[in-house]
Coordinates of all heavy atoms in Angstrom, one line a residue:
K1 N 274.7 -144.3 73.0 CA 273.5 -144.2 72.1 C 274.0 -143.7 70.7 O 274.7 -142.7 70.6 CB 272.4 -143.3 72.7 CG 271.2 -143.2 71.8 CD 270.2 -142.3 72.3 CE 269.1 -142.2 71.3 NZ 268.0 -141.4 71.6
R2 N 273.5 -144.4 69.7 CA 273.8 -144.0 68.3 C 273.0 -142.7 67.9 O 271.9 -142.5 68.4 CB 273.5 -145.1 67.3 CG 274.4 -146.3 67.5 CD 273.9 -147.4 66.7 NE 273.8 -147.1 65.3 CZ 273.7 -148.0 64.3 NH1 273.6 -149.2 64.6 NH2 273.6 -147.6 63.1
E3 N 273.7 -141.9 67.1 CA 273.0 -140.8 66.5 C 271.9 -141.2 65.6 O 271.9 -142.3 65.1 CB 274.0 -139.9 65.8 CG 275.0 -139.2 66.7 CD 275.7 -138.1 66.0 OE1 275.1 -137.3 65.4 OE2 276.9 -138.2 66.1
S4 N 270.9 -140.4 65.4 CA 269.7 -140.7 64.6 C 269.4 -139.6 63.6 O 269.8 -138.5 63.8 CB 268.5 -141.1 65.4 OG 268.1 -140.0 66.1
L5 N 268.8 -140.0 62.5 CA 268.5 -139.0 61.5 C 267.1 -139.4 60.9 O 266.8 -140.6 60.6 CB 269.5 -139.1 60.4 CG 269.3 -138.3 59.1 CD1 269.4 -136.8 59.5 CD2 270.3 -138.6 58.0
S6 N 266.3 -138.4 60.7 CA 265.0 -138.5 60.0 C 265.1 -137.8 58.7 O 265.4 -136.6 58.7 CB 263.8 -138.0 60.8 OG 263.6 -138.8 62.0
V7 N 264.9 -138.5 57.6 CA 264.9 -137.8 56.2 C 263.5 -137.7 55.8 O 262.8 -138.7 55.6 CB 265.8 -138.7 55.3 CG1 265.7 -138.1 53.9 CG2 267.2 -138.9 55.7
I8 N 263.1 -136.5 55.5 CA 261.7 -136.2 55.1 C 261.8 -136.0 53.6 O 262.6 -135.2 53.1 CB 261.1 -135.0 55.8 CG1 261.1 -135.2 57.3 CG2 259.7 -134.7 55.2 CD1 260.8 -134.0 58.1
M9 N 261.0 -136.8 52.8 CA 261.0 -136.7 51.4 C 259.6 -136.4 50.9 O 258.8 -137.2 50.7 CB 261.5 -138.0 50.7 CG 262.9 -138.4 51.1 SD 263.5 -139.9 50.3 CE 263.6 -139.4 48.6
P10 N 259.4 -135.1 50.6 CA 258.1 -134.7 50.1 C 258.0 -135.2 48.6 O 259.0 -135.2 47.9 CB 258.1 -133.1 50.1 CG 259.2 -132.8 51.0 CD 260.2 -133.9 50.9
A11 N 256.8 -135.5 48.2 CA 256.6 -136.0 46.8 C 255.2 -135.6 46.3 O 254.2 -135.8 47.0 CB 256.7 -137.5 46.8
F12 N 255.2 -135.0 45.1 CA 254.0 -134.6 44.4 C 254.1 -135.1 43.0 O 255.0 -134.5 42.2 CB 253.7 -133.1 44.5 CG 252.5 -132.7 43.8 CD1 251.2 -133.1 44.3 CD2 252.6 -132.0 42.6 CE1 250.1 -132.7 43.6 CE2 251.4 -131.7 41.9 CZ 250.2 -132.0 42.4
N13 N 253.3 -136.1 42.6 CA 253.4 -136.6 41.2 C 254.8 -137.0 40.8 O 255.3 -136.6 39.8 CB 252.7 -135.6 40.3 CG 251.2 -135.4 40.5 OD1 250.6 -136.3 41.1 ND2 250.7 -134.4 40.0
E14 N 255.4 -137.8 41.6 CA 256.8 -138.3 41.4 C 256.9 -139.8 41.0 O 257.9 -140.4 41.3 CB 257.6 -138.0 42.6 CG 257.6 -136.6 43.1 CD 258.3 -135.6 42.1 OE1 259.0 -136.1 41.2 OE2 258.2 -134.4 42.3
E15 N 255.8 -140.3 40.4 CA 255.8 -141.8 40.2 C 257.0 -142.2 39.4 O 257.5 -143.4 39.5 CB 254.5 -142.2 39.6 CG 254.3 -141.8 38.1 CD 253.0 -142.3 37.5 OE1 252.2 -142.9 38.2 OE2 252.7 -142.0 36.4
G16 N 257.5 -141.4 38.5 CA 258.6 -141.8 37.6 C 260.0 -141.9 38.3 O 260.9 -142.5 37.8
I17 N 260.1 -141.2 39.4 CA 261.4 -141.1 40.1 C 261.5 -141.5 41.5 O 262.5 -141.7 42.1 CB 262.1 -139.7 39.9 CG1 261.2 -138.6 40.7 CG2 262.2 -139.3 38.5 CD1 261.9 -137.3 40.8
L18 N 260.3 -141.6 42.2 CA 260.3 -141.8 43.6 C 261.0 -143.1 44.1 O 261.9 -143.0 45.0 CB 258.8 -141.9 44.1 CG 258.7 -142.0 45.6 CD1 259.2 -140.8 46.4 CD2 257.2 -142.2 46.0
E19 N 260.7 -144.2 43.5 CA 261.3 -145.4 43.9 C 262.8 -145.4 43.8 O 263.6 -145.7 44.8 CB 260.8 -146.6 43.2 CG 261.3 -147.9 43.7 CD 260.5 -149.1 43.2 OE1 259.6 -149.0 42.4 OE2 260.8 -150.3 43.7
N20 N 263.4 -144.9 42.7 CA 264.8 -144.9 42.5 C 265.4 -143.9 43.5 O 266.5 -144.2 44.1 CB 265.2 -144.5 41.1 CG 266.6 -144.6 40.8 OD1 267.3 -145.6 41.1 ND2 267.2 -143.5 40.2
A21 N 264.8 -142.8 43.7 CA 265.3 -141.8 44.7 C 265.4 -142.4 46.1 O 266.4 -142.2 46.8 CB 264.5 -140.5 44.7
V22 N 264.3 -143.0 46.5 CA 264.2 -143.6 47.8 C 265.3 -144.7 48.0 O 266.0 -144.8 49.0 CB 262.8 -144.1 48.1 CG1 262.8 -144.9 49.4 CG2 261.8 -143.0 48.2
L23 N 265.4 -145.5 47.0 CA 266.4 -146.6 47.1 C 267.8 -146.1 47.2 O 268.7 -146.6 47.9 CB 266.3 -147.6 45.9 CG 265.0 -148.4 45.9 CD1 264.9 -149.3 44.7 CD2 264.8 -149.2 47.2
Q24 N 268.1 -145.0 46.5 CA 269.4 -144.4 46.6 C 269.7 -143.8 48.0 O 270.8 -144.0 48.6 CB 269.6 -143.2 45.6 CG 269.7 -143.8 44.2 CD 269.9 -142.6 43.1 OE1 270.1 -141.5 43.5 NE2 269.8 -143.0 41.9
V25 N 268.7 -143.2 48.6 CA 268.8 -142.7 49.9 C 269.0 -143.8 50.9 O 269.8 -143.8 51.8 CB 267.6 -141.8 50.3 CG1 267.6 -141.4 51.8 CG2 267.5 -140.5 49.5
L26 N 268.2 -144.9 50.8 CA 268.4 -146.1 51.6 C 269.8 -146.6 51.5 O 270.4 -147.0 52.6 CB 267.4 -147.2 51.2 CG 266.0 -147.2 51.9 CD1 265.1 -148.3 51.2 CD2 266.1 -147.4 53.4
Q27 N 270.3 -146.7 50.3 CA 271.6 -147.3 50.2 C 272.7 -146.4 50.8 O 273.6 -146.9 51.5 CB 271.9 -147.4 48.7 CG 273.3 -148.0 48.4 CD 273.6 -148.1 46.9 OE1 272.9 -147.5 46.1 NE2 274.6 -148.9 46.6
T28 N 272.5 -145.1 50.7 CA 273.5 -144.2 51.3 C 273.4 -144.2 52.8 O 274.4 -144.3 53.5 CB 273.2 -142.7 50.8 OG1 273.4 -142.7 49.4 CG2 274.2 -141.8 51.5
L29 N 272.2 -144.2 53.4 CA 272.0 -144.2 54.8 C 272.5 -145.5 55.4 O 273.0 -145.5 56.5 CB 270.6 -144.0 55.2 CG 270.0 -142.6 54.9 CD1 268.5 -142.5 55.2 CD2 270.8 -141.5 55.7
G30 N 272.4 -146.6 54.6 CA 272.8 -147.9 55.1 C 274.3 -148.0 55.3 O 274.8 -148.9 56.0
T31 N 275.1 -147.1 54.7 CA 276.5 -147.1 54.9 C 277.0 -146.3 56.1 O 278.2 -146.3 56.5 CB 277.2 -146.5 53.7 OG1 276.9 -145.1 53.6 CG2 276.8 -147.2 52.4
L32 N 276.1 -145.6 56.7 CA 276.4 -144.7 57.9 C 276.1 -145.5 59.2 O 275.3 -146.3 59.3 CB 275.6 -143.4 57.8 CG 275.7 -142.6 56.6 CD1 274.8 -141.5 56.6 CD2 277.2 -142.2 56.3
S33 N 276.8 -145.1 60.2 CA 276.7 -145.7 61.6 C 275.7 -144.9 62.4 O 276.1 -144.2 63.3 CB 278.0 -145.8 62.3 OG 278.9 -146.7 61.6
L34 N 274.4 -144.9 62.0 CA 273.4 -144.2 62.7 C 272.1 -144.9 62.5 O 271.9 -145.7 61.6 CB 273.4 -142.7 62.4 CG 273.2 -142.3 60.9 CD1 271.8 -142.4 60.4 CD2 273.7 -140.9 60.7
D35 N 271.2 -144.6 63.4 CA 269.8 -145.1 63.2 C 269.1 -144.0 62.3 O 269.4 -142.8 62.5 CB 269.1 -145.1 64.6 CG 269.6 -146.3 65.4 OD1 269.9 -147.4 64.9 OD2 269.7 -146.1 66.7
Y36 N 268.2 -144.5 61.5 CA 267.6 -143.5 60.6 C 266.2 -144.0 60.2 O 265.8 -145.2 60.4 CB 268.4 -143.4 59.3 CG 268.5 -144.6 58.5 CD1 267.5 -144.9 57.5 CD2 269.5 -145.5 58.6 CE1 267.6 -146.0 56.7 CE2 269.6 -146.6 57.9 CZ 268.7 -146.9 56.9 OH 268.8 -148.0 56.1
E37 N 265.4 -143.1 59.7 CA 264.1 -143.4 59.2 C 263.9 -142.4 58.0 O 264.5 -141.4 57.9 CB 263.0 -143.1 60.2 CG 262.8 -141.7 60.5 CD 261.6 -141.5 61.5 OE1 260.8 -142.4 61.7 OE2 261.5 -140.4 62.0
I38 N 263.1 -142.9 57.0 CA 262.8 -142.0 55.9 C 261.3 -141.9 56.0 O 260.5 -142.8 56.1 CB 263.1 -142.7 54.6 CG1 264.7 -142.9 54.5 CG2 262.6 -141.9 53.4 CD1 265.1 -143.7 53.3
V39 N 260.8 -140.6 55.9 CA 259.4 -140.3 55.9 C 259.0 -139.8 54.6 O 259.4 -138.7 54.2 CB 259.0 -139.3 57.0 CG1 257.5 -139.0 57.1 CG2 259.5 -139.8 58.4
L40 N 258.2 -140.5 53.8 CA 257.7 -140.1 52.5 C 256.4 -139.4 52.7 O 255.5 -139.9 53.4 CB 257.5 -141.3 51.6 CG 258.7 -142.2 51.4 CD1 258.3 -143.4 50.5 CD2 259.8 -141.5 50.8
V41 N 256.3 -138.2 52.2 CA 255.1 -137.4 52.3 C 254.5 -137.2 50.9 O 255.0 -136.5 50.1 CB 255.4 -136.0 52.9 CG1 254.2 -135.2 53.1 CG2 256.2 -136.1 54.2
D42 N 253.4 -137.9 50.7 CA 252.6 -137.8 49.5 C 251.7 -136.6 49.6 O 250.8 -136.6 50.4 CB 251.8 -139.1 49.2 CG 250.9 -139.0 48.0 OD1 251.3 -138.3 47.0 OD2 249.8 -139.6 48.0
D43 N 252.0 -135.6 48.8 CA 251.3 -134.3 48.9 C 250.1 -134.3 48.0 O 249.9 -133.4 47.2 CB 252.2 -133.2 48.7 CG 251.7 -131.8 49.2 OD1 250.9 -131.9 50.1 OD2 252.2 -130.8 48.7
K44 N 249.2 -135.3 48.2 CA 247.9 -135.4 47.4 C 248.2 -135.5 45.9 O 247.6 -134.8 45.1 CB 247.0 -134.2 47.7 CG 245.6 -134.3 47.1 CD 244.8 -135.4 47.8 CE 243.4 -135.3 47.3 NZ 242.7 -136.6 47.5
S45 N 249.1 -136.4 45.6 CA 249.5 -136.7 44.2 C 248.3 -137.2 43.5 O 247.4 -137.9 44.0 CB 250.6 -137.7 44.1 OG 251.8 -137.2 44.7
T46 N 248.2 -137.0 42.2 CA 247.2 -137.5 41.3 C 247.6 -138.6 40.5 O 246.8 -139.2 39.7 CB 246.6 -136.3 40.4 OG1 247.7 -135.8 39.6 CG2 246.0 -135.2 41.2
D47 N 248.9 -139.0 40.6 CA 249.4 -140.2 39.9 C 249.6 -141.4 40.9 O 248.9 -141.4 41.9 CB 250.7 -139.9 39.1 CG 251.8 -139.5 40.1 OD1 251.6 -139.5 41.3 OD2 252.9 -139.1 39.6
K48 N 250.5 -142.3 40.6 CA 250.7 -143.4 41.5 C 251.7 -143.2 42.6 O 252.2 -144.2 43.2 CB 251.0 -144.6 40.6 CG 249.9 -145.0 39.7 CD 250.2 -146.4 39.0 CE 249.2 -146.8 38.0 NZ 247.9 -147.0 38.6
T49 N 252.1 -142.0 42.8 CA 253.1 -141.7 43.9 C 252.7 -142.3 45.2 O 253.5 -142.9 45.9 CB 253.3 -140.2 44.0 OG1 253.8 -139.7 42.8 CG2 254.3 -139.8 45.1
G50 N 251.5 -142.1 45.6 CA 251.0 -142.6 46.9 C 251.1 -144.1 47.0 O 251.5 -144.7 48.0
E51 N 250.7 -144.8 45.9 CA 250.8 -146.3 45.9 C 252.2 -146.8 46.0 O 252.5 -147.7 46.7 CB 250.2 -146.8 44.6 CG 248.7 -146.6 44.5 CD 248.1 -146.9 43.1 OE1 248.7 -147.9 42.5 OE2 247.2 -146.3 42.7
I52 N 253.1 -146.1 45.3 CA 254.5 -146.5 45.3 C 255.1 -146.2 46.7 O 255.8 -147.1 47.3 CB 255.3 -145.7 44.3 CG1 254.9 -146.1 42.9 CG2 256.8 -145.9 44.4 CD1 255.3 -145.2 41.8
A53 N 254.7 -145.1 47.3 CA 255.2 -144.8 48.7 C 254.7 -145.8 49.7 O 255.5 -146.3 50.5 CB 254.7 -143.4 49.1
D54 N 253.5 -146.2 49.6 CA 252.9 -147.3 50.5 C 253.6 -148.6 50.3 O 254.0 -149.3 51.3 CB 251.4 -147.5 50.2 CG 250.6 -146.4 50.8 OD1 251.0 -145.7 51.7 OD2 249.4 -146.2 50.3
R55 N 253.9 -149.0 49.0 CA 254.6 -150.2 48.8 C 256.0 -150.2 49.4 O 256.5 -151.2 50.0 CB 254.7 -150.5 47.3 CG 255.4 -151.8 46.9 CD 255.3 -152.2 45.4 NE 255.5 -151.1 44.5 CZ 256.7 -150.6 44.2 NH1 257.8 -151.1 44.8 NH2 256.8 -149.6 43.3
L56 N 256.7 -149.1 49.2 CA 258.1 -148.9 49.8 C 258.0 -149.0 51.3 O 258.9 -149.7 51.9 CB 258.7 -147.6 49.3 CG 259.1 -147.5 47.8 CD1 259.4 -146.1 47.4 CD2 260.3 -148.4 47.6
A57 N 257.0 -148.4 51.9 CA 256.9 -148.4 53.3 C 256.6 -149.8 53.9 O 257.0 -150.2 54.9 CB 255.8 -147.4 53.8
S58 N 255.8 -150.6 53.1 CA 255.5 -151.9 53.5 C 256.7 -152.9 53.3 O 256.8 -153.9 53.9 CB 254.3 -152.5 52.8 OG 254.5 -152.7 51.5
T59 N 257.6 -152.5 52.4 CA 258.7 -153.4 52.1 C 259.9 -153.1 53.0 O 260.7 -154.0 53.4 CB 259.2 -153.2 50.6 OG1 258.0 -153.5 49.8 CG2 260.3 -154.1 50.2
Y60 N 260.1 -151.8 53.3 CA 261.3 -151.4 54.1 C 260.9 -150.9 55.4 O 260.2 -149.8 55.5 CB 262.1 -150.4 53.3 CG 262.6 -150.9 52.0 CD1 261.9 -150.6 50.8 CD2 263.8 -151.6 51.9 CE1 262.4 -151.1 49.6 CE2 264.3 -152.1 50.7 CZ 263.5 -151.8 49.5 OH 264.0 -152.3 48.3
P61 N 261.3 -151.5 56.5 CA 260.8 -151.1 57.9 C 261.3 -149.7 58.2 O 260.7 -149.0 59.1 CB 261.4 -152.1 58.8 CG 261.8 -153.3 58.0 CD 262.0 -152.8 56.6
K62 N 262.3 -149.2 57.6 CA 262.8 -147.8 58.0 C 262.1 -146.7 57.3 O 262.4 -145.6 57.5 CB 264.3 -147.8 57.7 CG 265.2 -148.8 58.4 CD 266.2 -148.1 59.2 CE 267.0 -149.1 60.0 NZ 267.3 -148.6 61.3
I63 N 261.1 -147.1 56.4 CA 260.3 -146.1 55.7 C 258.9 -146.0 56.3 O 258.3 -147.0 56.5 CB 260.3 -146.4 54.2 CG1 261.6 -146.5 53.6 CG2 259.3 -145.5 53.5 CD1 261.7 -146.9 52.1
K64 N 258.5 -144.7 56.5 CA 257.1 -144.4 56.9 C 256.5 -143.6 55.8 O 257.2 -142.9 55.1 CB 257.1 -143.7 58.2 CG 257.6 -144.6 59.3 CD 257.5 -144.0 60.7 CE 257.1 -142.6 61.0 NZ 257.1 -142.3 62.4
C65 N 255.2 -143.6 55.7 CA 254.5 -142.8 54.7 C 253.4 -142.0 55.3 O 252.6 -142.5 56.1 CB 254.0 -143.8 53.6 SG 253.3 -142.9 52.2
V66 N 253.3 -140.7 54.9 CA 252.3 -139.8 55.3 C 251.5 -139.4 54.0 O 252.2 -139.0 53.0 CB 252.8 -138.6 56.0 CG1 251.7 -137.6 56.4 CG2 253.6 -139.1 57.3
H67 N 250.2 -139.4 54.0 CA 249.4 -138.9 52.9 C 248.6 -137.7 53.3 O 247.9 -137.7 54.3 CB 248.4 -140.0 52.4 CG 249.1 -141.2 51.9 ND1 249.5 -141.4 50.6 CD2 249.4 -142.4 52.5 CE1 250.1 -142.5 50.4 NE2 250.0 -143.2 51.6
H68 N 248.8 -136.6 52.6 CA 248.0 -135.4 52.8 C 246.6 -135.5 52.2 O 246.5 -136.1 51.1 CB 248.7 -134.2 52.3 CG 249.9 -133.8 53.1 ND1 250.8 -132.8 52.6 CD2 250.3 -134.1 54.3 CE1 251.7 -132.6 53.5 NE2 251.5 -133.4 54.6
E69 N 245.6 -135.0 52.9 CA 244.3 -135.0 52.4 C 244.1 -133.9 51.3 O 243.2 -134.0 50.4 CB 243.3 -134.7 53.5 CG 243.3 -135.7 54.6 CD 242.5 -136.9 54.2 OE1 241.5 -136.8 53.5 OE2 242.9 -138.1 54.6
K70 N 245.0 -132.9 51.3 CA 245.0 -131.9 50.3 C 246.4 -131.5 50.1 O 247.3 -131.7 50.9 CB 244.1 -130.7 50.7 CG 244.6 -129.9 51.9 CD 243.7 -128.7 52.2 CE 244.2 -127.9 53.3 NZ 243.5 -126.7 53.6
N71 N 246.7 -130.9 48.9 CA 248.0 -130.5 48.6 C 248.4 -129.3 49.4 O 247.8 -128.3 49.4 CB 248.1 -130.1 47.1 CG 249.5 -129.8 46.7 OD1 250.0 -128.7 47.0 ND2 250.2 -130.7 46.0
L72 N 249.5 -129.4 50.2 CA 250.0 -128.4 51.1 C 251.2 -127.7 50.6 O 251.7 -126.8 51.3 CB 250.2 -129.0 52.5 CG 248.9 -129.6 53.2 CD1 249.3 -130.2 54.5 CD2 247.9 -128.5 53.4
G73 N 251.8 -128.1 49.5 CA 253.0 -127.6 49.1 C 254.2 -128.0 49.9 O 254.1 -128.8 50.8
L74 N 255.4 -127.6 49.4 CA 256.7 -128.0 50.0 C 256.7 -127.7 51.5 O 257.0 -128.5 52.3 CB 257.8 -127.4 49.3 CG 259.2 -127.9 49.7 CD1 259.3 -129.4 49.6 CD2 260.3 -127.2 48.9
G75 N 256.4 -126.4 51.9 CA 256.5 -126.0 53.3 C 255.5 -126.8 54.1 O 255.8 -127.3 55.2
G76 N 254.3 -127.1 53.6 CA 253.3 -127.8 54.3 C 253.7 -129.3 54.5 O 253.4 -129.9 55.5
A77 N 254.5 -129.8 53.6 CA 254.9 -131.2 53.7 C 255.8 -131.3 54.9 O 255.7 -132.2 55.7 CB 255.7 -131.6 52.5
F78 N 256.7 -130.3 55.1 CA 257.6 -130.4 56.3 C 256.9 -130.1 57.6 O 257.1 -130.7 58.6 CB 258.8 -129.4 56.1 CG 259.8 -129.9 55.1 CD1 259.9 -129.4 53.8 CD2 260.7 -130.9 55.5 CE1 260.8 -129.9 52.9 CE2 261.6 -131.4 54.6 CZ 261.7 -130.9 53.3
N79 N 256.0 -129.1 57.6 CA 255.3 -128.7 58.8 C 254.3 -129.8 59.2 O 254.2 -130.1 60.4 CB 254.5 -127.4 58.6 CG 255.4 -126.2 58.4 OD1 256.5 -126.2 58.9 ND2 254.9 -125.2 57.7
E80 N 253.7 -130.4 58.3 CA 252.6 -131.4 58.6 C 253.3 -132.7 59.1 O 252.6 -133.5 59.9 CB 251.8 -131.7 57.4 CG 250.6 -132.5 57.6 CD 249.5 -131.8 58.3 OE1 249.5 -130.6 58.4 OE2 248.5 -132.5 58.7
V81 N 254.5 -133.0 58.8 CA 255.1 -134.3 59.1 C 255.7 -134.4 60.5 O 255.9 -135.5 61.0 CB 256.1 -134.7 58.0 CG1 257.4 -134.0 58.2 CG2 256.3 -136.2 58.0
D82 N 255.9 -133.3 61.1 CA 256.6 -133.3 62.4 C 256.1 -134.4 63.4 O 256.9 -135.0 64.0 CB 256.5 -131.9 63.1 CG 257.4 -130.9 62.5 OD1 258.3 -131.3 61.7 OD2 257.3 -129.7 62.8
P83 N 254.8 -134.6 63.6 CA 254.4 -135.6 64.5 C 254.8 -137.0 64.1 O 254.9 -138.0 64.9 CB 252.8 -135.5 64.5 CG 252.5 -134.2 64.0 CD 253.6 -133.8 63.1
S84 N 255.0 -137.2 62.8 CA 255.4 -138.6 62.3 C 256.9 -138.9 62.5 O 257.3 -140.0 62.5 CB 255.1 -138.6 60.8 OG 253.7 -138.5 60.6
V85 N 257.7 -137.9 62.7 CA 259.1 -138.1 62.9 C 259.4 -138.6 64.3 O 258.9 -138.0 65.2 CB 259.9 -136.8 62.6 CG1 261.4 -136.9 62.9 CG2 259.7 -136.4 61.1
Q86 N 260.2 -139.6 64.3 CA 260.5 -140.2 65.6 C 261.7 -139.5 66.2 O 262.7 -139.5 65.5 CB 260.7 -141.7 65.5 CG 259.5 -142.4 65.1 CD 259.6 -143.9 65.4 OE1 260.6 -144.4 66.0 NE2 258.6 -144.6 65.1
T87 N 261.7 -139.0 67.4 CA 262.9 -138.4 68.0 C 263.8 -139.5 68.6 O 264.9 -139.3 68.8 CB 262.5 -137.4 69.0 OG1 261.6 -138.0 70.0 CG2 261.8 -136.2 68.4
N88 N 263.2 -140.6 69.1 CA 264.0 -141.7 69.7 C 263.8 -142.9 68.8 O 262.9 -143.7 68.9 CB 263.5 -142.0 71.1 CG 263.7 -140.8 72.0 OD1 264.7 -140.2 72.0 ND2 262.6 -140.5 72.8
L89 N 264.8 -143.1 67.9 CA 264.7 -144.3 67.0 C 265.3 -145.5 67.7 O 266.1 -145.5 68.6 CB 265.5 -144.0 65.8 CG 265.0 -142.8 64.9 CD1 265.9 -142.5 63.8 CD2 263.6 -143.2 64.4

């Protein structure tokens, strides 16, 4: 069985950098011999971060997106996403 990795990327009002950051992570992970997923956590952004995250998730099967109903901060982003992370990829 191959090793697996879940990368959690919290985002709050990151419309200017989110797509480039995610594509860089995808490119890097694609060079490794493991199964992976990227979980984007939109922490109740007020810009287009959530829309960008949804578009990336619909374009790339290895990306999942979680939207918070309220801003939970960085710690909340990691705590809240646990059920979304797949242990068996």
Side-chain angles (χ1 to χ4, degrees):
K1 181 180 174 183
R2 292 173 57 170
E3 292 192 52
S4 62
L5 175 69
S6 294
V7 177
I8 300 169
M9 296 181 70
F12 178 71
N13 292 342
E14 304 291 349
E15 70 180 1
I17 65 167
L18 181 64
E19 184 165 4
N20 188 47
V22 170
L23 292 178
Q24 286 181 14
V25 171
L26 269 175
Q27 182 179 14
T28 300
L29 291 174
T31 67
L32 304 175
S33 296
L34 52 80
D35 290 322
Y36 65 88
E37 68 177 348
I38 298 172
V39 182
L40 304 177
V41 183
D42 174 34
D43 200 22
K44 190 63 173 162
S45 296
T46 57
D47 64 0
K48 295 190 183 297
T49 297
E51 294 172 33
I52 294 167
D54 284 338
R55 181 172 44 79
L56 289 166
S58 68
T59 303
Y60 299 96
K62 299 240 181 219
I63 297 177
K64 294 182 0 180
C65 188
V66 175
H67 296 277
H68 284 169
E69 297 284 322
K70 64 180 183 173
N71 185 285
L72 299 175
L74 185 59
F78 285 103
N79 290 335
E80 188 76 11
V81 80
D82 285 348
S84 297
V85 174
Q86 295 197 5
T87 54
N88 297 315
L89 296 175

